[in-house]
Each structure stands twice: as structure tokens, then as C-alpha cells.
Amino acid sequence: MIIHQNNDLKNGLKKRQLQMIALGGCVGSGLLVASGMALRNGPGSLLVAWAIVSSFLYCTMQSLAELSAAFPVSGSFATYATRFIDPSWGFAMGWNYAIFWVVVLPLELVAASMTINFWESKINSVVWIALFYVLIFVLNLCGNRGFGETEFVASIIKLLGIVGFNILAIILICGGGDQGFIGGRYYINPGSFTTGVKGVVSVLITATYSLAGTELIGLTTTESEGNPRIVLPKAIKQVFWRIIIFYMITLTLVGFLVPANSDQLIGASSNASASPFVIAIRAGGIKVLPTIFNVVVLVALLAIGNSAVYGFSRTILALSEQGLAPKIFNYVDRKGRPLVGIAACAIVGLLAFVSVSPKQSEVFAWLVALSGLSTLFTWGSINASFLRFRAAYKYQGKDLQELPYISNTGIWGAYYGLIMNIVVLAFEIFWIGIWPIGSKPDPVVYFQNNLAFFIVIAFYIGHKLYSRSLKFYKKVDEIDIDTGRTPEEIDLLLQEKEEEKQFAKTRPIYKKILNFWC
């Protein structure tokens, strides 16, 4: 089986852009808006759930770094699943990921309309949705350079906004706002775990959704200007700092400032739609900053919408190249734009206009659930592909030093990532999905929240029936680990690594530590 790579895509993404995409590219509605729904289960539930998901995400990204450096191809996740696991699973994963991104676009636009409600503008939200909708597609029609620069600028804005909020939050907690000294009062009353263990498990899906899209960096492999062996692993290492700065520290501080029983949190009442970050700043009595931070939230949401168009168009392009999607999606114009994929995303993106509905919060929650489960399949597949690749690599007696990058977490990290994805998925399908918190079992709600599971199974079984294949996985002696890597390239790689090793010995210890983590 040969991995296909579309040579019409342009190498326009710079090193600085890739690093910022990895660091802050997918900080959007999951952290800035949906965390408000999760906070209703208590701040302790937030921290435990995000810590669990972050731990196996890091392992997943290390697996992806090794695979992407060795096999820099477009549509990496589906391609790896097809090559190392099974063509039917690759088909299911490719369409699962494409559907994920095409759903994320209207989701982010809906979140944007909910965020705009903060200003109580007389302008109909449809006007803003239309404006943002057009802006996102204009940026994507500028090619990968437009995408890269947009993500670069947006990531800087988000980084500054989150760091600024963290500094302000510490001041407010210590008594610098209208509320006086806050301390840990909200961790005590209404409590850290307001809905118990079940609440923690339910937050795992929201945490997964908030961290979804981190793997997008793997799709940029064929469009980066630098050497993927060096650029991609270095960018992926930034995930560690993203988890610590953007998520764990920030969510801890939000838990200090916003009580779990706040009636302003999304889902707490019919008209509640504010970001917990904006709620925290407003409660502190600071008049200008809530508006400023709401702008940061808007920028974050629109940036994710921009990423959604990029992610869908590149994934569907890779599927088309492998014969797993209609050939029309294989068209790439002279400027390196997969126009048919972008057009398809534009059509589905019209769902964003559901924001005019009075039940927009319910629609938002439904889309979050769909996206969260989809991500679990993607991450699990990355780890499974890595494990099958390593098994074949060992079977053929290959030397790990011949790999451009070796995962920091290795085989055990991949096993941990795979098992945890399966566990979280099982919790949602067989427990939380059936008996949700605060309500009785509802078949319709269960089907909606677990739609991604049924989609994956349908695509997998459908491809099995179409291909008439009864094999469920490739044996190690059937896995191709050589296509795309010539002996000459391996020899050159070993020479480069030896030169880098000798150079590294001359570097001071602090640079060695910095290079390991960054």
C-alpha cells in the first residue's frame, strides 16, 4: 500500500506559524465557553477531568510526532490507520475526522453568536454570523499562507489574553476587586465536586472537546517550509506548555472566581450565555476588561472556525487521493487551494444560522458532544497506528535510531493513550450517555450525544461490506514501513543526527533542558 501525497499543496507554512498553531491554535470555545457548562459540576471536577485528558493527549501527540516525522503526508491520521491497521478503519477514521471539522465550523460560529450577546446589541446575531462566515472563507481562499498568518496572529492574541487573565485572576482572588478577598470560598461552597464522581466523568467529554484540534498540526506536514523531521516534533512539544498555561493554571483560577451554581453559566438558565472568564472579570467590578476579553474570546472562536475549514479540506483531499472519497475533492488549484473541500465546508457551515433559534445553547451542547466523541476515536486511532507501526518495525529488526524522531513516551505512553481513550468512550456510551446527570434516560438525547459512535461504526461496517474483506487488522509481516523512506534518505538522516548529537554536546545544560521540553 502506497501513501499518497498531493504535490499541488504549497509549502507555505513557516516554523513560527507551526509553533504558534501548536501552542494556541485550538484554544477556542472548549476552554473559553464550554468550560462554563463543565464548571457547573464543580471546579474540582474541571481540574481532575482536564488533567486526565491532558495526560493521555500528551502521549498521543508524542505518538503523532514520531509518525509524522517519519511519514510526512497529507491527511496523516486516516493514512496511518489505513497503512498500519486496516483500510476499513482508515476509511472510518478519515470520514470521522472530516465530519468532526465540518461540524466544528458552525459550532464555533454559534459560540461566537452566543458571545456577542454579552454586549446586548440591537443588531440581529444573524448579521454577525454572516460577517464572520464570509471572513473565514475569504481567509481560507488566501491559501495556507493566509491560514498560517491568521492562526499566528490569533494565537498571540489568545496567549496574551490568557496570560493577562491569569495575572488579573490572582489579583482578584487576593482581594483586588469589588468582591474583596475571595480565596477558596467557592471550592468550599458550593463545593469542588457538586455532582460527585459522575460529574467528573461527564466533564471528561467537555475536556476532550476543549483539547480537540491539537492534532491538527499533523495535517500541516506537507505544507510546512522547514524539514518536517525537525519542525513538527518541536512544534508538537509545545503541547506541554499549552496544557499547563492555557488549561490547568487558567481553569484553577476560574474555579476560584466563578461559583459552580452561578446562574450566568451556559446551561444554568435559558438566557445564560457568558464565558466564565467574562463572568469572573465582570464580578470583579472592572468595567472595561470584560469587553476586551470578550473580544479575545471572539478572536479565539473565529480562529477555530478558520482551522475547521483548513482541517476538513485537507482531510477530504487525502481521502480522495486514496480513493476513499469522490474524486472531485482531489482538485487543487494552482495556488494550492483544495477548492471543492472548501466549498463543501461552506455549504455545511450554513448550519451556523441556527443561532437565531431560542435554543441555541442546546444546539451548542449537542455539537460539543458530537465533536468530543469524534476526537476520542481520532486520538485512539493515532495511538493504535503507532503501536502497529512499532510492532512491524520491531518484527523487521529495524533500528529506532533510523527514525527521524523517537517518541518521549514510547510504547507504554501509546498504550496508556489508547486505553484511556477507550475508557472515556465507554463511560460516555454505557453510563453517562444512558443516565445523564439531573435527568432521566432519553433515547433521543442518547442517540444525539453518541452520534459520532454510530457514524464510525456505520462507515467501518459499510467499507467492510463494500470491500468484502473479513480481515480486521494487518499482521506485522503485512505492514509496509518502507514506502516513502529510501536507504539513501536513512543514511543521510543518520549522518545528520550524528552531527546534531556532536553539536548538542557543546551546548550548555540549560539549552539541553530547554530543547527537550521545547
Side-chain angles (χ1 to χ4, degrees):
M1 201 283 293
I2 298 175
I3 283 187
H4 299 272
Q5 180 173 333
N6 194 303
N7 295 319
D8 293 329
L9 294 174
K10 304 299 182 182
N11 302 105
L13 294 176
K14 302 180 184 298
K15 178 181 177 181
R16 60 178 174 81
Q17 293 171 338
L18 292 176
Q19 289 181 337
M20 290 307 296
I21 289 172
L23 184 59
C26 292
V27 174
S29 60
L31 173 66
L32 302 176
V33 180
S35 59
M37 292 190 296
L39 182 57
R40 290 160 55 204
N41 296 287
S45 298
L46 251 71
L47 297 182
V48 172
W50 256 270
I52 292 173
V53 176
S54 297
S55 66
F56 64 80
L57 168 62
Y58 181 77
C59 296
T60 301
M61 292 304 294
Q62 283 297 313
S63 298
L64 178 61
E66 182 171 312
L67 290 173
S68 296
F71 307 101
V73 294
S74 61
S76 58
F77 319 122
T79 308
Y80 298 148
T82 300
R83 181 169 183 172
F84 302 125
I85 303 176
D86 173 63
S88 295
W89 188 248
F91 175 77
M93 286 301 95
W95 277 100
N96 168 68
Y97 198 66
I99 291 172
F100 161 74
W101 276 122
V102 85
V103 165
V104 164
L105 174 61
L107 188 153
E108 297 299 320
L109 290 175
V110 169
S113 72
M114 294 165 65
T115 303
I116 286 178
N117 289 339
F118 166 81
W119 286 293
E120 299 179 354
S121 172
K122 294 182 180 180
I123 300 176
N124 194 304
S125 60
V126 172
V127 176
W128 294 109
I129 292 298
L131 177 63
F132 298 148
Y133 176 89
V134 172
L135 175 62
I136 286 173
F137 284 99
V138 167
L139 291 172
N140 272 273
L141 290 175
C142 293
N144 57 26
R145 288 185 181 274
F147 164 77
E149 287 300 334
T150 301
E151 290 299 306
F152 179 77
V153 173
S155 293
I156 290 178
I157 293 173
K158 287 184 281 187
L159 176 63
L160 294 174
I162 294 296
V163 172
F165 171 82
N166 289 347
I167 295 172
L168 174 64
I170 294 173
I171 295 174
L172 294 177
I173 292 169
C174 294
D178 287 355
Q179 295 173 293
F181 178 76
I182 297 175
R185 71 171 70 161
Y186 297 138
Y187 276 85
I188 300 173
N189 183 23
S192 298
F193 301 92
T194 58
T195 51
V197 176
K198 197 172 185 179
V200 175
V201 174
S202 69
V203 177
L204 289 173
I205 296 299
T206 306
T208 300
Y209 165 68
S210 78
L211 291 160
T214 305
E215 73 290 331
L216 180 70
I217 191 72
L219 290 182
T220 65
T221 305
T222 57
E223 298 181 73
S224 60
E225 287 185 345
N227 183 350
R229 178 181 77 81
I230 299 173
V231 175
L232 273 179
K234 194 170 184 66
I236 287 174
K237 287 180 183 179
Q238 307 298 327
V239 172
F240 174 81
W241 300 110
R242 172 180 168 180
I243 290 170
I244 296 298
I245 297 174
F246 282 149
Y247 293 97
M248 300 312 298
I249 294 178
T250 304
L251 289 172
T252 300
L253 296 174
V254 167
F256 277 104
L257 294 172
V258 182
N261 57 1
S262 171
D263 59 2
Q264 299 180 64
L265 292 172
I266 291 179
S269 61
S270 60
N271 61 350
S273 60
S275 161
F277 294 79
V278 175
I279 294 172
I281 297 172
R282 189 162 49 187
I286 304 173
K287 297 181 179 179
V288 179
L289 281 183
T291 295
I292 295 176
F293 198 84
N294 218 48
V295 172
V296 174
V297 173
L298 257 181
V299 169
L301 299 178
L302 296 178
I304 301 301
N306 185 48
S307 296
V309 179
Y310 179 93
F312 173 79
S313 61
R314 270 59 178 183
T315 301
I316 200 71
L317 170 64
L319 288 172
S320 180
E321 289 174 335
Q322 298 175 71
L324 302 178
K327 290 184 180 180
I328 190 172
F329 287 105
N330 198 30
Y331 174 71
V332 178
D333 72 355
R334 294 179 180 179
K335 296 183 179 180
R337 301 174 299 185
L339 293 180
V340 180
I342 294 175
C345 198
I347 294 172
V348 179
L350 294 173
L351 287 172
F353 291 95
V354 76
S355 61
V356 299
S357 167
K359 295 186 177 182
Q360 62 175 356
S361 294
E362 295 178 24
V363 175
F364 180 76
W366 179 79
L367 291 174
V368 167
L370 173 62
S371 302
L373 283 191
S374 175
T375 300
L376 289 170
F377 280 105
T378 299
W379 292 354
S381 183
I382 291 172
N383 285 305
S385 298
F386 174 84
L387 291 170
R388 296 306 295 161
F389 163 69
R390 278 292 193 93
Y393 207 78
K394 182 179 180 180
Y395 174 80
Q396 296 189 24
K398 300 283 188 178
D399 185 356
L400 287 179
Q401 293 305 315
E402 294 180 356
L403 293 173
Y405 177 79
I406 300 175
S407 167
N408 288 340
T409 53
I411 293 290
W412 293 111
Y415 271 118
Y416 171 71
L418 176 60
I419 292 171
M420 288 305 298
N421 274 285
I422 294 174
V423 168
V424 175
L425 189 63
F427 272 139
E428 170 60 26
I429 294 173
F430 301 111
W431 186 23
I432 301 299
I434 299 176
W435 296 282
I437 296 174
S439 60
K440 297 180 180 180
D442 186 329
V444 175
V445 173
Y446 176 80
F447 178 77
Q448 290 176 336
N449 289 345
N450 295 281
L451 185 57
F453 171 75
F454 297 106
I455 288 174
V456 169
I457 298 302
F459 274 109
Y460 178 74
I461 295 177
H463 189 272
K464 280 295 180 189
L465 294 174
Y466 176 78
S467 62
R468 298 181 181 179
S469 172
L470 296 178
K471 293 180 62 176
F472 295 101
Y473 65 92
K474 290 185 176 182
K475 297 180 180 179
V476 288
D477 58 347
E478 298 174 329
I479 296 176
D480 173 19
I481 61 172
D482 296 317
T483 299
R485 304 183 71 221
T486 65
E488 293 76 14
E489 289 175 338
I490 294 176
D491 290 339
L492 180 60
L493 169 66
L494 292 173
Q495 181 180 344
E496 289 178 354
K497 292 181 73 173
E498 182 60 30
E499 292 174 356
E500 291 170 3
K501 185 178 180 181
Q502 295 301 321
F503 175 73
K505 290 180 179 179
T506 65
R507 307 177 77 181
I509 186 66
Y510 77 91
K511 284 192 175 182
K512 293 179 181 178
I513 296 174
L514 190 64
N515 183 65
F516 178 82
W517 289 107
C518 302

